[in-house]
Amino acid sequence: MFKLQENNTNAKREVIAGITTFLTMVYIVIVNPIILQDAGVPFDQVFTATIIATIIGTLWMGLFANYPIAIAPGMGLNAYFAYSVVGGNEEITYMTAFAAVFVSGIIFVALSLTPFRQKLIEAIPDNLKHGITAGIGLFIAFIGLRLSGLIADHPANLVTLGDLHSPEAILALVGLAVTIVLMVLNVNGALFIGMAVTGIIAYFTGQLAFTEGFVSTPSLPDGFIISNPITAIGDVVQHGLYAVVFSFLLVTIFDTTGTMVAVAQQAGLMKGKSMPRARQALLADSVATSFGAIFGTSPTSAYIESSTGVAAGGRTGLTAVTVAVLFGAAAFFGPLVGAISGLSSITAPALIIVGSLMMGAVAHIDWNRLDEAFPAFLIILSMPLTSSIATGIALGFISYPLLKIVKGQFREVHPLVYLFAVLFFYQLAYLPH
């Protein structure tokens, strides 16, 4: 089924690779509920939904696409969901926001079955793609700094240095130091180990207590968030969440496609410039996003942490299946994760470091061409300052074709980019955002 011999691997190596990938990305079951809790979603709901979406997407990837790539709710989009879509508009509840996630997932499923997905990816300028990645990285690092108390509100300049003498800030700094040292030393599972060490320190300093034990049966307090697809579509139309749906869709497509290609290249699974079974691989993410919204979590994405499993020898879907099984086991440790989620200093270092890794995309921006660099700069700058990924994307897509027209290079811009520019302009000018 997994063609182990054909891919020069064996079951033991694949299982070890799966364990390695799991350890590097299991932090998401802690971080994701913390972020979505700020949108009002019950912790148990997000915790269980995160694991369900991860299992569905990763199993699909392993069984149907036969790739050693894991799928889970993506960093950045969870922050956008909580702080921009829900937090930025009093009329939008998390129930309504999940309707937008569901609709974006359904559209992604449809695009995954057609050649339009490839045309969309090719139409978007590379510098805008890199700007989006870097902007999201800066945004989630900013969130990590605020959650940990390392920066605080300022009446004139919006933010300032926080109280570095507070127990929370000290714990976050210690956790950040431990985690970044492990990352620099290339220790597998550095983010997870860093959170574990920080949690142990918090426990012995009295900042962390396990009042409800460690193990319990998984639960979904709200049941199905999306029970009627027609109602979900109606919610999107009623609240004018078109830009939100497009932002979810755009970022998911770029993140997933880029990560899949990168991991497949690392594993030597690419056939020239094409990725075999790409349709099934993309369906893994789009199906997981749709089901994740039904149960109560933000959009999923392929995880770059899968590269650690590939480095450990993973070459087939058996690695992904192993990851899914381990996440299934993690579902029974809700009280443990719940206790940790009550102390942001434990998870803030992971947000800051993941943000720094995503900021690496700025190296690929052509800074010598202002017509290419400035739209990317606008995206990077505006995402954290407006607390909105959608606003950052909109400003980039509006400014890019305008600068190309001024420069007389309007023919270089794909018609789809002009279409997106008009839609984003309309959204910023006339719709709530």
Side-chain angles (χ1 to χ4, degrees):
M1 179 180 184
F2 298 109
K3 300 180 180 178
L4 299 180
Q5 292 184 346
E6 184 178 319
N7 287 283
N8 298 316
T9 185
N10 55 60
K12 179 181 178 181
R13 188 181 300 160
E14 294 291 305
V15 170
I16 292 174
I19 294 172
T20 303
T21 297
F22 171 77
L23 290 175
T24 59
M25 62 177 288
V26 68
Y27 67 88
I28 194 61
V29 303
I30 302 173
V31 175
N32 202 46
I34 291 175
I35 292 176
L36 295 194
Q37 258 189 318
D38 287 347
V41 193
F43 170 85
D44 288 346
Q45 186 81 26
V46 185
F47 175 75
T48 304
T50 297
I51 291 176
I52 290 173
T54 301
I55 291 174
I56 290 174
T58 306
L59 274 181
W60 189 295
M61 182 69 73
L63 296 176
F64 299 112
N66 197 27
Y67 280 115
I69 300 173
I71 302 289
M75 292 294 294
L77 286 176
N78 49 10
Y80 172 53
F81 179 100
Y83 304 113
S84 298
V85 180
V86 179
N89 191 330
E90 294 181 357
E91 297 181 1
I92 305 300
T93 66
Y94 68 83
M95 297 281 192
T96 304
F98 279 128
V101 176
F102 176 78
V103 171
S104 71
I106 295 301
I107 296 173
F108 192 10
V109 170
L111 291 179
S112 298
L113 296 172
T114 68
F116 183 76
R117 172 199 56 81
Q118 186 62 34
K119 292 181 179 179
L120 178 61
I121 294 171
E122 293 172 352
I124 310 304
D126 288 340
N127 287 297
L128 291 187
K129 297 175 188 175
H130 300 317
I132 291 170
T133 300
I136 292 174
L138 194 60
F139 183 30
I140 63 175
F142 177 70
I143 291 169
L145 290 169
R146 292 201 62 162
L147 288 175
S148 63
L150 293 175
I151 59 175
D153 293 335
H154 188 278
N157 295 322
L158 301 182
V159 292
T160 186
L161 186 65
D163 181 9
L164 299 186
H165 297 284
S166 69
E168 294 82 6
I170 293 173
L171 181 63
L173 286 172
V174 171
L176 183 60
V178 170
T179 308
I180 198 65
V181 167
L182 293 172
M183 293 286 289
V184 169
L185 295 176
N186 295 318
V187 175
N188 286 330
L191 289 174
F192 176 73
I193 296 171
M195 283 193 292
V197 171
T198 310
I200 292 171
I201 295 172
Y203 178 77
F204 284 107
T205 55
Q207 298 181 62
L208 178 64
F210 301 99
T211 57
E212 298 182 9
F214 297 95
V215 181
S216 70
T217 303
S219 64
L220 291 166
D222 285 351
F224 289 155
I225 301 293
I226 305 294
S227 56
N228 187 330
I230 304 301
T231 302
I233 295 172
D235 287 341
V236 170
V237 174
Q238 178 184 349
H239 295 277
L241 298 179
Y242 309 112
V244 172
V245 170
F246 182 70
S247 297
F248 281 140
L249 180 65
L250 197 65
V251 175
T252 302
I253 288 175
F254 291 155
D255 273 1
T256 297
T257 306
T259 300
M260 286 180 183
V261 170
V263 175
Q265 284 178 333
Q266 180 189 1
L269 300 174
M270 294 290 287
K271 303 295 183 184
K273 292 185 177 181
S274 66
M275 181 177 175
R277 306 177 302 282
R279 176 175 295 182
Q280 291 295 348
L282 286 166
L283 280 172
D285 187 27
S286 54
V287 169
T289 292
S290 302
F291 275 97
I294 291 173
F295 290 102
T297 190
S298 47
T300 60
S301 180
Y303 262 56
I304 195 62
E305 284 84 353
S306 303
S307 61
T308 61
V310 170
R315 293 294 182 273
T316 74
L318 181 56
T319 294
V321 171
T322 302
V323 174
V325 170
L326 291 173
F327 268 99
F332 295 91
F333 292 89
L336 172 64
V337 175
I340 293 172
S341 71
L343 188 58
S344 298
S345 298
I346 296 176
T347 52
L351 291 173
I352 296 168
I353 291 172
V354 171
S356 74
L357 296 175
M358 296 179 71
M359 275 295 293
V362 298
H364 304 294
I365 296 173
D366 188 355
W367 295 106
N368 294 319
R369 296 177 58 188
L370 193 58
D371 56 316
E372 293 282 343
F374 187 73
F377 170 75
L378 270 183
I379 293 173
I380 297 169
L381 183 68
S382 58
M383 281 187 182
L385 293 185
T386 64
S387 295
S388 173
I389 291 175
T391 299
I393 294 174
L395 292 175
F397 271 81
I398 293 170
S399 60
Y400 185 87
L402 288 177
L403 292 177
K404 289 298 183 181
I405 291 172
V406 169
K407 200 172 180 181
Q409 298 176 343
F410 58 91
R411 292 186 180 88
E412 294 182 8
V413 182
H414 196 283
L416 282 175
V417 176
Y418 285 115
L419 174 62
F420 295 151
V422 171
L423 293 175
F424 274 128
F425 177 80
Y426 178 80
Q427 186 264 335
L428 287 179
Y430 300 107
L431 298 178
H433 52 83

PDB file of all heavy atoms in Angstrom, residues 396-416:
ATOM      1  N   GLY A 396      -1.482  45.052  -0.388  1.00  0.00           N
ATOM      2  CA  GLY A 396      -0.474  44.555  -1.329  1.00  0.00           C
ATOM      3  C   GLY A 396      -1.037  44.372  -2.726  1.00  0.00           C
ATOM      4  O   GLY A 396      -0.424  44.779  -3.716  1.00  0.00           O
ATOM      5  N   PHE A 397      -2.233  43.788  -2.793  1.00  0.00           N
ATOM      6  CA  PHE A 397      -2.843  43.506  -4.097  1.00  0.00           C
ATOM      7  C   PHE A 397      -3.338  44.780  -4.798  1.00  0.00           C
ATOM      8  O   PHE A 397      -3.421  44.813  -6.023  1.00  0.00           O
ATOM      9  CB  PHE A 397      -4.002  42.517  -3.935  1.00  0.00           C
ATOM     10  CG  PHE A 397      -3.581  41.080  -4.021  1.00  0.00           C
ATOM     11  CD1 PHE A 397      -3.031  40.441  -2.931  1.00  0.00           C
ATOM     12  CD2 PHE A 397      -3.716  40.373  -5.201  1.00  0.00           C
ATOM     13  CE1 PHE A 397      -2.628  39.122  -3.005  1.00  0.00           C
ATOM     14  CE2 PHE A 397      -3.318  39.050  -5.292  1.00  0.00           C
ATOM     15  CZ  PHE A 397      -2.762  38.421  -4.196  1.00  0.00           C
ATOM     16  N   ILE A 398      -3.662  45.798  -4.019  1.00  0.00           N
ATOM     17  CA  ILE A 398      -4.095  47.061  -4.631  1.00  0.00           C
ATOM     18  C   ILE A 398      -2.893  47.849  -5.142  1.00  0.00           C
ATOM     19  O   ILE A 398      -2.910  48.397  -6.253  1.00  0.00           O
ATOM     20  CB  ILE A 398      -4.895  47.902  -3.615  1.00  0.00           C
ATOM     21  CG1 ILE A 398      -6.225  47.214  -3.294  1.00  0.00           C
ATOM     22  CG2 ILE A 398      -5.147  49.304  -4.165  1.00  0.00           C
ATOM     23  CD1 ILE A 398      -6.980  47.841  -2.129  1.00  0.00           C
ATOM     24  N   SER A 399      -1.833  47.916  -4.338  1.00  0.00           N
ATOM     25  CA  SER A 399      -0.676  48.745  -4.700  1.00  0.00           C
ATOM     26  C   SER A 399       0.159  48.127  -5.820  1.00  0.00           C
ATOM     27  O   SER A 399       0.730  48.865  -6.643  1.00  0.00           O
ATOM     28  CB  SER A 399       0.207  48.986  -3.469  1.00  0.00           C
ATOM     29  OG  SER A 399       0.683  47.752  -2.941  1.00  0.00           O
ATOM     30  N   TYR A 400       0.228  46.822  -5.891  1.00  0.00           N
ATOM     31  CA  TYR A 400       1.088  46.174  -6.886  1.00  0.00           C
ATOM     32  C   TYR A 400       0.707  46.541  -8.322  1.00  0.00           C
ATOM     33  O   TYR A 400       1.556  47.037  -9.089  1.00  0.00           O
ATOM     34  CB  TYR A 400       1.067  44.658  -6.688  1.00  0.00           C
ATOM     35  CG  TYR A 400       2.029  43.923  -7.599  1.00  0.00           C
ATOM     36  CD1 TYR A 400       3.352  43.725  -7.223  1.00  0.00           C
ATOM     37  CD2 TYR A 400       1.620  43.422  -8.836  1.00  0.00           C
ATOM     38  CE1 TYR A 400       4.244  43.062  -8.052  1.00  0.00           C
ATOM     39  CE2 TYR A 400       2.493  42.758  -9.673  1.00  0.00           C
ATOM     40  CZ  TYR A 400       3.807  42.578  -9.268  1.00  0.00           C
ATOM     41  OH  TYR A 400       4.693  41.923 -10.102  1.00  0.00           O
ATOM     42  N   PRO A 401      -0.542  46.327  -8.751  1.00  0.00           N
ATOM     43  CA  PRO A 401      -0.873  46.677 -10.143  1.00  0.00           C
ATOM     44  C   PRO A 401      -0.800  48.182 -10.411  1.00  0.00           C
ATOM     45  O   PRO A 401      -0.468  48.604 -11.525  1.00  0.00           O
ATOM     46  CB  PRO A 401      -2.294  46.138 -10.324  1.00  0.00           C
ATOM     47  CG  PRO A 401      -2.842  46.008  -8.956  1.00  0.00           C
ATOM     48  CD  PRO A 401      -1.689  45.695  -8.071  1.00  0.00           C
ATOM     49  N   LEU A 402      -1.098  49.014  -9.392  1.00  0.00           N
ATOM     50  CA  LEU A 402      -1.009  50.460  -9.584  1.00  0.00           C
ATOM     51  C   LEU A 402       0.420  50.889  -9.917  1.00  0.00           C
ATOM     52  O   LEU A 402       0.648  51.695 -10.831  1.00  0.00           O
ATOM     53  CB  LEU A 402      -1.499  51.193  -8.324  1.00  0.00           C
ATOM     54  CG  LEU A 402      -3.003  51.159  -8.051  1.00  0.00           C
ATOM     55  CD1 LEU A 402      -3.324  51.846  -6.738  1.00  0.00           C
ATOM     56  CD2 LEU A 402      -3.776  51.801  -9.194  1.00  0.00           C
ATOM     57  N   LEU A 403       1.383  50.339  -9.200  1.00  0.00           N
ATOM     58  CA  LEU A 403       2.783  50.686  -9.450  1.00  0.00           C
ATOM     59  C   LEU A 403       3.233  50.160 -10.818  1.00  0.00           C
ATOM     60  O   LEU A 403       4.036  50.810 -11.504  1.00  0.00           O
ATOM     61  CB  LEU A 403       3.665  50.129  -8.342  1.00  0.00           C
ATOM     62  CG  LEU A 403       3.493  50.779  -6.956  1.00  0.00           C
ATOM     63  CD1 LEU A 403       4.379  50.097  -5.920  1.00  0.00           C
ATOM     64  CD2 LEU A 403       3.816  52.263  -7.021  1.00  0.00           C
ATOM     65  N   LYS A 404       2.738  49.004 -11.202  1.00  0.00           N
ATOM     66  CA  LYS A 404       3.100  48.456 -12.511  1.00  0.00           C
ATOM     67  C   LYS A 404       2.518  49.312 -13.644  1.00  0.00           C
ATOM     68  O   LYS A 404       3.163  49.507 -14.679  1.00  0.00           O
ATOM     69  CB  LYS A 404       2.600  47.014 -12.635  1.00  0.00           C
ATOM     70  CG  LYS A 404       3.374  46.017 -11.775  1.00  0.00           C
ATOM     71  CD  LYS A 404       4.828  45.942 -12.183  1.00  0.00           C
ATOM     72  CE  LYS A 404       5.582  44.888 -11.383  1.00  0.00           C
ATOM     73  NZ  LYS A 404       7.010  44.833 -11.761  1.00  0.00           N
ATOM     74  N   ILE A 405       1.315  49.832 -13.434  1.00  0.00           N
ATOM     75  CA  ILE A 405       0.708  50.706 -14.436  1.00  0.00           C
ATOM     76  C   ILE A 405       1.516  51.991 -14.574  1.00  0.00           C
ATOM     77  O   ILE A 405       1.811  52.453 -15.688  1.00  0.00           O
ATOM     78  CB  ILE A 405      -0.758  51.025 -14.048  1.00  0.00           C
ATOM     79  CG1 ILE A 405      -1.625  49.764 -14.174  1.00  0.00           C
ATOM     80  CG2 ILE A 405      -1.313  52.144 -14.926  1.00  0.00           C
ATOM     81  CD1 ILE A 405      -3.036  49.936 -13.630  1.00  0.00           C
ATOM     82  N   VAL A 406       1.896  52.576 -13.432  1.00  0.00           N
ATOM     83  CA  VAL A 406       2.694  53.801 -13.447  1.00  0.00           C
ATOM     84  C   VAL A 406       4.014  53.589 -14.181  1.00  0.00           C
ATOM     85  O   VAL A 406       4.501  54.463 -14.914  1.00  0.00           O
ATOM     86  CB  VAL A 406       2.947  54.292 -12.000  1.00  0.00           C
ATOM     87  CG1 VAL A 406       3.984  55.409 -11.989  1.00  0.00           C
ATOM     88  CG2 VAL A 406       1.648  54.767 -11.363  1.00  0.00           C
ATOM     89  N   LYS A 407       4.583  52.416 -13.997  1.00  0.00           N
ATOM     90  CA  LYS A 407       5.872  52.108 -14.606  1.00  0.00           C
ATOM     91  C   LYS A 407       5.740  51.668 -16.058  1.00  0.00           C
ATOM     92  O   LYS A 407       6.732  51.420 -16.745  1.00  0.00           O
ATOM     93  CB  LYS A 407       6.577  51.027 -13.790  1.00  0.00           C
ATOM     94  CG  LYS A 407       8.087  50.956 -14.018  1.00  0.00           C
ATOM     95  CD  LYS A 407       8.748  50.007 -13.042  1.00  0.00           C
ATOM     96  CE  LYS A 407      10.258  49.963 -13.302  1.00  0.00           C
ATOM     97  NZ  LYS A 407      10.942  49.024 -12.387  1.00  0.00           N
ATOM     98  N   GLY A 408       4.509  51.549 -16.538  1.00  0.00           N
ATOM     99  CA  GLY A 408       4.304  51.130 -17.917  1.00  0.00           C
ATOM    100  C   GLY A 408       4.463  49.646 -18.142  1.00  0.00           C
ATOM    101  O   GLY A 408       4.661  49.181 -19.267  1.00  0.00           O
ATOM    102  N   GLN A 409       4.376  48.868 -17.057  1.00  0.00           N
ATOM    103  CA  GLN A 409       4.542  47.409 -17.148  1.00  0.00           C
ATOM    104  C   GLN A 409       3.227  46.698 -16.821  1.00  0.00           C
ATOM    105  O   GLN A 409       3.228  45.607 -16.261  1.00  0.00           O
ATOM    106  CB  GLN A 409       5.650  46.947 -16.213  1.00  0.00           C
ATOM    107  CG  GLN A 409       7.014  47.523 -16.547  1.00  0.00           C
ATOM    108  CD  GLN A 409       8.093  47.119 -15.541  1.00  0.00           C
ATOM    109  OE1 GLN A 409       7.794  46.680 -14.431  1.00  0.00           O
ATOM    110  NE2 GLN A 409       9.342  47.278 -15.930  1.00  0.00           N
ATOM    111  N   PHE A 410       2.119  47.315 -17.177  1.00  0.00           N
ATOM    112  CA  PHE A 410       0.816  46.759 -16.819  1.00  0.00           C
ATOM    113  C   PHE A 410       0.554  45.408 -17.471  1.00  0.00           C
ATOM    114  O   PHE A 410      -0.236  44.613 -16.978  1.00  0.00           O
ATOM    115  CB  PHE A 410      -0.298  47.746 -17.185  1.00  0.00           C
ATOM    116  CG  PHE A 410      -0.341  48.117 -18.640  1.00  0.00           C
ATOM    117  CD1 PHE A 410      -1.116  47.387 -19.538  1.00  0.00           C
ATOM    118  CD2 PHE A 410       0.399  49.190 -19.119  1.00  0.00           C
ATOM    119  CE1 PHE A 410      -1.159  47.717 -20.880  1.00  0.00           C
ATOM    120  CE2 PHE A 410       0.362  49.533 -20.463  1.00  0.00           C
ATOM    121  CZ  PHE A 410      -0.412  48.797 -21.351  1.00  0.00           C
ATOM    122  N   ARG A 411       1.233  45.140 -18.592  1.00  0.00           N
ATOM    123  CA  ARG A 411       1.034  43.846 -19.263  1.00  0.00           C
ATOM    124  C   ARG A 411       1.652  42.688 -18.480  1.00  0.00           C
ATOM    125  O   ARG A 411       1.310  41.532 -18.720  1.00  0.00           O
ATOM    126  CB  ARG A 411       1.618  43.887 -20.679  1.00  0.00           C
ATOM    127  CG  ARG A 411       0.867  44.802 -21.641  1.00  0.00           C
ATOM    128  CD  ARG A 411       1.401  44.682 -23.061  1.00  0.00           C
ATOM    129  NE  ARG A 411       0.695  45.553 -23.991  1.00  0.00           N
ATOM    130  CZ  ARG A 411       1.030  46.805 -24.225  1.00  0.00           C
ATOM    131  NH1 ARG A 411       2.087  47.344 -23.609  1.00  0.00           N
ATOM    132  NH2 ARG A 411       0.331  47.541 -25.075  1.00  0.00           N
ATOM    133  N   GLU A 412       2.576  43.006 -17.579  1.00  0.00           N
ATOM    134  CA  GLU A 412       3.225  41.960 -16.789  1.00  0.00           C
ATOM    135  C   GLU A 412       2.319  41.441 -15.674  1.00  0.00           C
ATOM    136  O   GLU A 412       2.615  40.416 -15.057  1.00  0.00           O
ATOM    137  CB  GLU A 412       4.524  42.488 -16.181  1.00  0.00           C
ATOM    138  CG  GLU A 412       5.601  42.834 -17.200  1.00  0.00           C
ATOM    139  CD  GLU A 412       6.881  43.302 -16.536  1.00  0.00           C
ATOM    140  OE1 GLU A 412       6.959  43.214 -15.280  1.00  0.00           O
ATOM    141  OE2 GLU A 412       7.796  43.752 -17.248  1.00  0.00           O
ATOM    142  N   VAL A 413       1.262  42.156 -15.396  1.00  0.00           N
ATOM    143  CA  VAL A 413       0.360  41.785 -14.305  1.00  0.00           C
ATOM    144  C   VAL A 413      -0.738  40.870 -14.825  1.00  0.00           C
ATOM    145  O   VAL A 413      -1.418  41.197 -15.804  1.00  0.00           O
ATOM    146  CB  VAL A 413      -0.262  43.039 -13.662  1.00  0.00           C
ATOM    147  CG1 VAL A 413      -1.168  42.642 -12.495  1.00  0.00           C
ATOM    148  CG2 VAL A 413       0.829  43.989 -13.192  1.00  0.00           C
ATOM    149  N   HIS A 414      -0.916  39.741 -14.180  1.00  0.00           N
ATOM    150  CA  HIS A 414      -1.946  38.781 -14.586  1.00  0.00           C
ATOM    151  C   HIS A 414      -3.336  39.383 -14.388  1.00  0.00           C
ATOM    152  O   HIS A 414      -3.578  40.100 -13.392  1.00  0.00           O
ATOM    153  CB  HIS A 414      -1.808  37.497 -13.758  1.00  0.00           C
ATOM    154  CG  HIS A 414      -2.527  36.321 -14.323  1.00  0.00           C
ATOM    155  ND1 HIS A 414      -3.895  36.173 -14.218  1.00  0.00           N
ATOM    156  CD2 HIS A 414      -2.076  35.224 -15.004  1.00  0.00           C
ATOM    157  CE1 HIS A 414      -4.258  35.043 -14.796  1.00  0.00           C
ATOM    158  NE2 HIS A 414      -3.179  34.443 -15.283  1.00  0.00           N
ATOM    159  N   PRO A 415      -4.266  39.115 -15.302  1.00  0.00           N
ATOM    160  CA  PRO A 415      -5.635  39.649 -15.161  1.00  0.00           C
ATOM    161  C   PRO A 415      -6.281  39.330 -13.815  1.00  0.00           C
ATOM    162  O   PRO A 415      -7.067  40.130 -13.295  1.00  0.00           O
ATOM    163  CB  PRO A 415      -6.388  38.973 -16.308  1.00  0.00           C
ATOM    164  CG  PRO A 415      -5.332  38.710 -17.353  1.00  0.00           C
ATOM    165  CD  PRO A 415      -4.088  38.398 -16.588  1.00  0.00           C
ATOM    166  N   LEU A 416      -5.969  38.163 -13.247  1.00  0.00           N
ATOM    167  CA  LEU A 416      -6.539  37.812 -11.949  1.00  0.00           C
ATOM    168  C   LEU A 416      -6.110  38.789 -10.862  1.00  0.00           C
ATOM    169  O   LEU A 416      -6.883  39.086  -9.942  1.00  0.00           O
ATOM    170  CB  LEU A 416      -6.130  36.386 -11.562  1.00  0.00           C
ATOM    171  CG  LEU A 416      -6.887  35.246 -12.238  1.00  0.00           C
ATOM    172  CD1 LEU A 416      -6.284  33.902 -11.848  1.00  0.00           C
ATOM    173  CD2 LEU A 416      -8.360  35.286 -11.877  1.00  0.00           C
TER     174      LEU A 416
END
